[in-house]
């Protein structure tokens, strides 16, 4: 989750009471967003109902101010665009991705593509929402250094553009990427080079990969990338070592992005116990999401099922628990428990619901 954008905002002493009200309204909204997004939300997707309501209220206040700013002579001023960016950040954190996307695209259109920060935020939102079409559209508009280069690398990895990533390997421009993400992008670029080497020199690629697994053993996200690369190169022992390293890096203080990336790979491996250990208690249970669906799937398919699985499904908000894919998963969980009557009830209910795909909406 990106940080709140802090720009130069000022109180117009001659603007009267309305200007003062807008100034304090903005400060209060951005303070709430900062407290939540830059606080516990760094380590968990889980929000209290109070925090979600605060985010929605802050997002609405910033949207209201943004709508006023659009009517001024220069709506594309950085401090005005920050209203749009921070409003979208609040909405995204509250689980209102569609509204955040609509708001962000409006800001991007008004900026005319001239605001570099806006382009970075559009790309980040596309990645956050898993919107590949928007990511493809954003890619060529991004600068080629700093945070924009980080987004270029992440989009290239999502789209499988290994030639682009290979071109970054060893480049000095990687040093301009924010320090917290630099190691990950370097691992991505080196992985792309190893993929190319493997075509003509499998042994050399294997050796380089083993060196990288040691080099990045303390980085959970980089270790996942290397495990995935080992899978592609049919090197199961290397993949197992990298995966073990990734699991070992996750602690209570780990950033939620690292936790989620490791859990996502564990899900691909059908390592249900690992998914539960990593994500139980770290996911919102009142908003449908990929992370929640993966966690519910782990509880449903782990065998033998743990007692906690019953509690997990019971604790879901009704609006989520009664979605067809969660009804089906709860039925599978009861079936694995040997509670065939309860399983049948859930399976019958799943057929009664309007058909949807078996995945998060």
């Amino acid at each position: 989750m990106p940080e709140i954008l802090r720009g130069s905002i000022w109180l117009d002493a001659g603007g009267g009471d309305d200007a003062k009200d807008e100034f304090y309204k903005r400060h209060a909204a951005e303070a709430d967003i900062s407290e939540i997004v830059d606080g516990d939300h760094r380590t968990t997707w889980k929000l209290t109902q109070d925090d979600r309501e605060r985010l929605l209220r802050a997002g609405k206040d910033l949207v209201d101010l943004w709508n006023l700013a659009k009517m001024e002579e220069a709506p594309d001023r950085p401090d005005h665009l920050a209203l749009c960016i921070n409003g979208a950040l609040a909405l995204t954190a509250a689980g209102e991705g569609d509204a955040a996307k609509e708001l962000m695209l409006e800001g991007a259109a008004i900026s005319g593509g001239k605001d570099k920060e806006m382009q970075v935020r559009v790309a980040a939102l596309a990645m956050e929402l898993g919107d590949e079409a928007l990511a493809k559209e954003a890619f060529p508009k991004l600068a080629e250094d700093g945070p924009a280069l980080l987004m270029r690398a992440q989009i290239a990895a999502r789209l499988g553009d290994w030639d682009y990533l290979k071109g970054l390997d060893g480049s000095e421009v990687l040093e301009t990427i924010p320090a917290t993400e630099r190691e990950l992008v370097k691992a991505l670029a080196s992985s792309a080079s190893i993929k190319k080497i493997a075509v003509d020199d499998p042994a050399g690629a294997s050796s380089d990969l083993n060196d990288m697994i040691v080099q990045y053993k303390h980085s959970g996200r980089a270790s996942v990338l290397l495990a995935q690369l080992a899978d592609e190169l049919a090197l199961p022992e290397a993949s197992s070592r990298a995966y073990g390293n990734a699991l070992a890096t996750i602690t209570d203080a780990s950033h939620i992005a690292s936790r989620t990336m490791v859990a996502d790979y564990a899900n691909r491996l059908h390592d249900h116990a690992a998914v539960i250990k990593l994500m139980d208690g770290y996911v919102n249970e009142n908003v449908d999401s990929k992370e929640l669906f993966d966690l519910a799937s782990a509880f449903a398919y782990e065998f033998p099922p743990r007692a906690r699985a019953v509690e997990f499904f019971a604790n879901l908000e009704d609006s989520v628990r009664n979605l067809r894919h969660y009804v089906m998963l709860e039925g599978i969980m009861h079936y694995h428990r040997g509670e065939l009557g309860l399983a049948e009830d859930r399976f019958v209910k799943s057929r009664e619901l309007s058909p949807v795909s078996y995945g998060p909406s």
Side-chain angles (χ1 to χ4, degrees), residues 209-217 226 238-239 241-242 245:
L209 176 58
N210 285 329
D211 289 343
M212 286 186 66
I213 289 173
V214 174
Q215 179 182 354
Y216 291 103
K217 68 179 295 184
L226 298 175
S239 175
R241 287 199 307 276
N245 290 344

Side-chain angles (χ1 to χ4, degrees), residues 115-128:
D115 190 275
K116 292 183 178 180
E117 180 66 33
M118 177 63 75
Q119 299 302 330
V120 170
R121 297 299 180 123
V122 170
L125 181 64
M127 296 298 288
E128 185 89 20

Side-chain angles (χ1 to χ4, degrees), residues 5-10 26 30 66 74-86 111 114-118:
L5 179 61
R6 306 180 192 283
S8 297
I9 59 175
W10 56 89
R26 175 174 186 163
E30 292 182 341
W66 164 244
D76 58 347
R77 272 176 22 191
D79 60 308
H80 287 162
L81 294 177
L83 289 168
C84 172
I85 289 170
N86 292 336
S111 74
K114 299 175 183 177
D115 190 275
K116 292 183 178 180
E117 180 66 33
M118 177 63 75

Side-chain angles (χ1 to χ4, degrees), residues 43-44 243-254 256 258-260 262-264 266-267 270-283 291 294-299 302 306 308-309 312:
T43 59
T44 180
Y243 177 47
N245 290 344
L247 290 173
T249 66
I250 303 301
T251 69
D252 291 344
S254 293
I256 189 59
S258 297
R259 180 179 296 277
T260 301
V262 177
D264 188 56
N267 183 62
H270 305 294
D271 188 350
H272 306 308
V275 174
I276 293 169
K277 181 178 180 181
L278 288 165
M279 300 307 291
D280 189 17
Y282 290 87
V283 182
E291 293 77 21
D294 288 348
L295 178 58
S297 298
F299 275 120
E302 186 182 40
R306 58 185 75 190
R308 164 69 180 136
F312 169 80

